[in-house]
Amino acid sequence: MPAVTRVGACALLLVGVAVLGQSPAARATVVVPGTSAKNSETQVGGGKDNDTLSSTAQGTGVVIDRTRNGSGPSAGPVTSQSSWTPPACYYAPRYTPAQLQKEKEATWGVDSTGPEWDATQRDRYVEGHPYKDFNKDKAGKGYWWDSFVTPGREGDPGALDCDEETFWVDTGDAPPPDIPQAVTPEMLAQLAYAEIRVPGTRVDLAPANATKVNLPTWAWLDAAQFKPVSVTASVPQLDISATTTAEPVSVKIEPGTSDARTYPASGVCEMAGTHIGEPYARGKADRTPPCGVTYLRSSGGGAYRLRATITWKIHWTGTGVDTPQGLPDGAFGGEQEVVVQEIQSVNR
């Protein structure tokens, strides 16, 4: 089977299966990465029988723990505020010798790849060029490594970069140096970045239901609702892990119209104590809000779409890395309607 086809098959395999299971202690649900589920998950191979999804946890790849991630119907992924993206593919332990033998012999048995390809594969994994009998004499002393496609990146050209044949790595040895996509704690941190989910952004406003033209509208967020969130990615076979953490630092207010003035002028309100912005309270009507907006024109019979985007500072720690290491800031926002009315005056 050509390398491109093999990588594509891995991508379909990762997207098409989910493993549902619970541990009595953690009660963590195992699901396909990239979904809205919480808890922990494993990237696996599997099949479908009578509409029931099953799994064969062959090397498991990367295990994702989402128990400290953001949740809720409005939660979503952060977007990097630079051109950086997590890796589209990587290599990690996948098979024991017996598992690889079962996988390969099943493929050869249906002759789906042609006799020439099958002969080349048997030469590589069975005949000793360079491996003998699937390395069964090394069972328990290492793993066969294979390529994985990061969920959600199946159509990305970078997903085709991992086109190396399945290869063996002894326990305790580093993978071959000519394979830059071999999983490391730093790469785990980047994969965890892709799984970060943060709460939807809806700011508190005062006045709450409708504001007036030329009346300062206060805006704020309760930091208690926007706590730091984190995701841990690990490879149990290698005993390595990394935890990526996102912390809210500011919110940018975009009024939804150019006929408005923001506070501060940049529209960016920094975290201050337990809030981003400052809650409105009686007696502050004559003050300029530290975070907010003044609309200069009414919204007529409709409403303006105010957008609030939170910037999340993101860093990671992991195996052998105790000092937090920075990753690109992420952003996630949401829109809400703001009705702006004319101030009514009465002439006597």
Side-chain angles (χ1 to χ4, degrees):
M1 182 186 297
V4 169
T5 304
R6 184 174 65 83
V7 173
C10 290
L12 292 174
L13 189 62
L14 285 171
V15 174
V17 298
V19 182
L20 302 179
Q22 290 187 333
S23 122
R27 301 191 64 79
T29 304
V30 183
V31 298
V32 174
T35 67
S36 60
K38 211 176 161 183
N39 305 324
S40 65
E41 56 195 27
T42 307
Q43 297 181 6
V44 298
K48 186 173 182 180
D49 181 24
N50 296 328
D51 295 324
T52 300
L53 292 170
S54 61
S55 75
T56 52
Q58 298 172 327
T60 67
V62 173
V63 177
I64 303 293
D65 179 0
R66 287 175 162 175
T67 54
R68 292 169 292 171
N69 206 5
S71 61
S74 62
V78 294
T79 300
S80 169
Q81 294 189 298
S82 70
S83 60
W84 175 87
T85 58
C89 69
Y90 60 92
Y91 294 95
R94 185 165 194 156
Y95 302 103
T96 65
Q99 288 170 339
L100 183 63
Q101 180 181 14
K102 182 178 180 180
E103 178 86 4
K104 292 295 184 182
E105 290 181 346
T107 302
W108 302 336
V110 296
D111 197 28
S112 61
T113 51
E116 183 177 348
W117 175 260
D118 292 350
T120 301
Q121 290 277 289
R122 287 191 177 93
D123 186 61
R124 175 178 174 82
Y125 296 108
V126 181
E127 303 300 332
H129 305 99
Y131 304 110
K132 181 75 171 176
D133 195 22
F134 298 100
N135 270 10
K136 285 192 287 188
D137 61 326
K138 290 189 173 185
K141 300 177 182 178
Y143 277 94
W144 289 101
W145 288 47
D146 202 4
S147 61
F148 292 81
V149 175
T150 304
R153 303 288 297 280
E154 292 79 12
D156 192 313
L160 302 179
D161 290 344
C162 299
D163 58 359
E164 296 287 339
E165 280 286 346
T166 306
F167 56 91
W168 178 268
V169 178
D170 287 333
T171 299
D173 285 357
D178 59 344
I179 300 183
Q181 302 94 341
V183 70
T184 62
E186 182 175 7
M187 185 175 288
L188 288 176
Q190 297 170 359
L191 294 171
Y193 185 112
E195 297 300 323
I196 288 285
R197 298 295 180 268
V198 296
T201 307
R202 184 178 179 86
V203 294
D204 292 309
L205 298 174
N209 299 318
T211 188
K212 305 293 185 182
V213 172
N214 294 322
L215 175 69
T217 300
W218 291 57
W220 70 94
L221 288 166
D222 184 350
Q225 300 175 24
F226 294 88
K227 302 175 183 177
V229 299
S230 64
V231 171
T232 297
S234 64
V235 181
Q237 292 82 358
L238 303 180
D239 196 26
I240 61 173
S241 67
T243 296
T244 299
T245 300
E247 302 179 73
V249 293
S250 65
V251 63
K252 182 175 182 179
I253 303 294
E254 298 173 276
T257 174
S258 59
D259 293 316
R261 182 187 306 118
T262 57
Y263 309 100
S266 64
V268 177
C269 309
E270 304 290 341
M271 173 75 76
T274 59
H275 294 87
I276 299 177
E278 182 181 326
Y280 177 77
R282 187 181 297 275
K284 295 181 179 180
D286 295 332
R287 290 173 48 187
T288 299
C291 182
V293 58
T294 292
Y295 287 95
L296 308 178
R297 187 185 299 271
S298 79
S299 57
Y304 293 122
R305 302 288 298 180
L306 180 147
R307 181 169 185 83
T309 303
I310 290 186
T311 293
W312 297 78
K313 184 70 78 175
I314 301 179
H315 59 83
W316 70 277
T317 57
T319 303
V321 182
D322 297 326
T323 303
Q325 304 295 304
L327 287 169
D329 290 350
F332 185 67
E335 293 185 344
Q336 60 198 86
E337 292 187 347
V338 178
V339 175
V340 182
Q341 303 169 337
E342 295 282 2
I343 296 177
Q344 300 297 319
S345 62
V346 177
N347 297 321
R348 295 182 181 274

